[in-house]
């Protein structure tokens, strides 16, 4: 590669630019869910449903539930 120094310089500059743009603020998050044992939940129902809060490590349904 004839212009390897040029390419390496471009990579370094791009890496430095992306590094400066990274997201560094942290915030607490909360999560909620709806669950059906068998039937997939249609979008129209999911939008109107009342969601239940869930805590870290809590199980919200069984394997292959919806």
């Amino acid at each position: 590669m004839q212009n390897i120094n040029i390419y390496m310089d471009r990579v370094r500059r791009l890496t430095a630019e992306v590094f400066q743009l990274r997201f560094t603020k942290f915030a607490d998050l909360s999560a909620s869910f709806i669950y059906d044992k068998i039937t997939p939940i249609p979008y129209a129902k999911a939008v109107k449903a009342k969601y239940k809060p869930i805590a870290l490590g809590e199980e919200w349904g069984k394997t292959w539930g919806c």
Side-chain angles (χ1 to χ4, degrees), residues 25-48:
K25 296 179 183 175
F26 296 94
D28 291 331
L29 300 176
S30 62
S32 56
F33 72 102
I34 57 175
Y35 175 75
D36 188 297
K37 292 179 183 177
I38 301 170
T39 309
I41 301 167
Y43 176 78
K45 182 179 177 182
V47 172
K48 296 177 183 177

Side-chain angles (χ1 to χ4, degrees), residues 6-47:
I6 293 171
Y7 297 130
M8 293 303 293
D9 186 51
R10 289 178 182 171
V11 168
R12 283 187 203 97
R13 283 187 289 159
L14 177 63
T15 303
E17 185 178 331
V18 170
F19 185 80
Q20 293 298 320
L21 297 174
R22 74 191 189 284
F23 186 74
T24 57
K25 296 179 183 175
F26 296 94
D28 291 331
L29 300 176
S30 62
S32 56
F33 72 102
I34 57 175
Y35 175 75
D36 188 297
K37 292 179 183 177
I38 301 170
T39 309
I41 301 167
Y43 176 78
K45 182 179 177 182
V47 172

